[in-house]
Amino acid sequence: MIEIQKYRLDNGLRLVVHQDKTTPLAAINVLYNVGAKDEDASRTGFAHLFEHLMFGGSKNIPSYDNPLQNAGGDNNAWTSNDLTNYYLTLPASNLETGLWLESDRMLELDFSQESLDVQKKVVIEEFKQRYLNQPYGNIPLLLRPLAYKVHPYRWPTIGADIKHIEDASLEEVKAFFYDHYAPNNAVIAVTGNVEPEDVYTKVKKWFGNIPKRNVVERNLPVEPEQTQMRELTVEEDVPSDVLQLAFHMCARTDEEYYASDLLSDILSSGTSARIFQRLVKEKKLFTDLHAYISGDIEKGLFSFSGNVSDDVNIYEAEKAVWEEIDVIKNTLVSHYELQKVKNKVESSMMFSEINFLNKAMNLAQFELIGKAEDLNDEVRKYNEVTAEEIQRCAQTIFRVNNCSKLYYLSKDKKEKGC
């Protein structure tokens, strides 16, 4: 049980505090309710661009890193299709330094053409290195628009097109900041060796005067139900064939989410899981094969991704995956198999709660999508999932007309006639 104190400032900023006396440190997690799904289709990659811009200096503090490092702190950030998350750790006695830094960049960034050009160059290079020039790197750029036709999940956080970042103007970037980065569109979680009332006083001191902003109302298009199998085949200079199957599934906040998550664990979590044992170890059809869920706040994807063995035809390998899907759709999982994955989830969550930074991240996310207290209810919700619910979930998700399929073929393998 994670004990928490919650506060809300007059400007709408939500604060969650958890005291952890086992560490001399503190964590500050600032979660903004903006992700790639909030971008314009002609200007994608902006949320991720801001992940970089936020370290380029703010209105009153030219360098974010130097003061934090002088205070013994460390920091990082990540962006998803749903959220942008900034976090730092530092000695608890220096908590106010971290709050000062975060409040100033929430107030206003030091927007300049020079700073924008530097960060655009960094992001463009990342786009090239990770998505265009790395083997298999463009799979998200191919699979997402295959699975989604209208919802903004159809592009990855890096963006749909590198040109969108190249062409981003300073005025467009400023507008994106004031539309989304605001106290009334953020959650702060502070954990560690802190006193909750003292944290509230300090947060009020540093964030209380930041004005509310007119955050753009989210009105996302609803993805229509998929009615037929979608297929795409590409040939690339890669060492082996890759098979990708993506099925639409429920949202993170839906009750079926827990059964969907356990379903992916039964199929693929660890070397004792079904598809590894049968399709990788026994039949040797794949050298690697995973089943996983996206965990998106909106309706997400349940995916299979596998590297096909060199001497195996990709269609033969795919047939075996569908046979495993048929098994789990038509047969209840055993008590042993279900309990094994439930135990794994529970142990993972218990270990996660040991780390004060993980707690800060989790509390902020749960507060954003509902309420932070729900984090304490997660193990119960997983433990209540039944074998019948797992089967029903498989039958709902794993339908041919709900599947988007990518054959990512090796040119070299084809030339060798494999």
Side-chain angles (χ1 to χ4, degrees), residues 30 32 50-61 64-65 68 75-77 85-88 98-111 177 181 207 210 213:
V30 183
Y32 289 97
F50 262 93
E51 181 189 317
H52 292 262
L53 282 170
M54 292 284 260
F55 293 97
S58 53
K59 183 176 178 62
N60 302 297
I61 306 172
Y64 179 94
D65 287 330
L68 184 63
N75 72 96
N76 213 330
N85 194 59
Y86 300 86
Y87 60 91
L88 64 89
L99 296 174
W100 165 62
L101 290 166
E102 290 298 337
S103 68
D104 201 58
R105 62 181 182 180
M106 182 183 287
L107 175 67
E108 187 178 344
L109 295 186
D110 181 23
F111 290 109
F177 177 82
Y181 296 81
F207 291 85
I210 301 175
R213 293 186 179 127

Side-chain angles (χ1 to χ4, degrees), residues 176-355:
F176 193 80
F177 177 82
Y178 291 113
D179 284 346
H180 299 288
Y181 296 81
N184 47 316
N185 203 37
V187 176
I188 296 182
V190 178
T191 60
N193 199 344
V194 296
E195 296 294 335
E197 283 299 321
D198 179 60
V199 173
Y200 173 57
T201 301
K202 288 183 168 69
V203 168
K204 199 173 176 183
K205 171 184 173 183
W206 289 107
F207 291 85
N209 290 328
I210 301 175
K212 274 186 181 178
R213 293 186 179 127
N214 294 321
V215 175
V216 171
E217 186 177 350
R218 187 174 281 151
N219 186 21
L220 302 178
V222 177
E223 183 69 22
E225 184 174 349
Q226 187 172 334
T227 56
Q228 62 182 9
M229 166 82 84
R230 297 169 186 158
E231 295 184 22
L232 177 64
T233 301
V234 297
E235 294 181 3
E236 300 279 356
D237 291 318
V238 291
S240 63
D241 295 343
V242 163
L243 173 68
Q244 292 267 343
L245 303 176
F247 300 84
H248 292 280
M249 58 167 282
C250 66
R252 175 65 181 85
T253 50
D254 291 337
E255 283 301 314
E256 314 92 271
Y257 172 83
Y258 299 94
S260 305
D261 197 14
L262 291 178
L263 172 60
S264 71
D265 286 349
I266 288 166
L267 288 168
S268 172
S269 180
T271 55
S272 64
R274 289 189 180 196
I275 60 175
F276 181 87
Q277 280 293 314
R278 295 173 186 169
L279 305 188
V280 177
K281 188 176 179 183
E282 294 174 15
K283 297 182 179 178
K284 302 187 188 310
L285 296 170
F286 293 88
T287 56
D288 203 12
L289 178 60
H290 300 280
Y292 52 90
I293 61 173
S294 59
D296 296 317
I297 292 178
E298 317 284 333
K299 291 183 183 299
L301 294 177
F302 192 120
S303 300
F304 291 82
S305 175
N307 289 73
V308 181
S309 299
D310 286 345
D311 57 348
V312 174
N313 183 292
I314 194 169
Y315 308 109
E316 178 188 351
E318 181 196 353
K319 183 182 175 186
V321 174
W322 283 103
E323 287 171 354
E324 285 300 322
I325 286 174
D326 283 341
V327 170
I328 204 158
K329 286 171 69 174
N330 296 303
T331 312
L332 287 176
V333 297
S334 69
H335 173 76
Y336 172 82
E337 201 172 17
L338 182 54
Q339 193 59 50
K340 182 184 70 171
V341 294
K342 287 180 178 178
N343 292 345
K344 194 167 184 177
V345 167
E346 184 170 358
S347 65
S348 296
M349 296 190 71
M350 293 300 105
F351 279 116
S352 174
E353 290 181 8
I354 293 173
N355 184 293

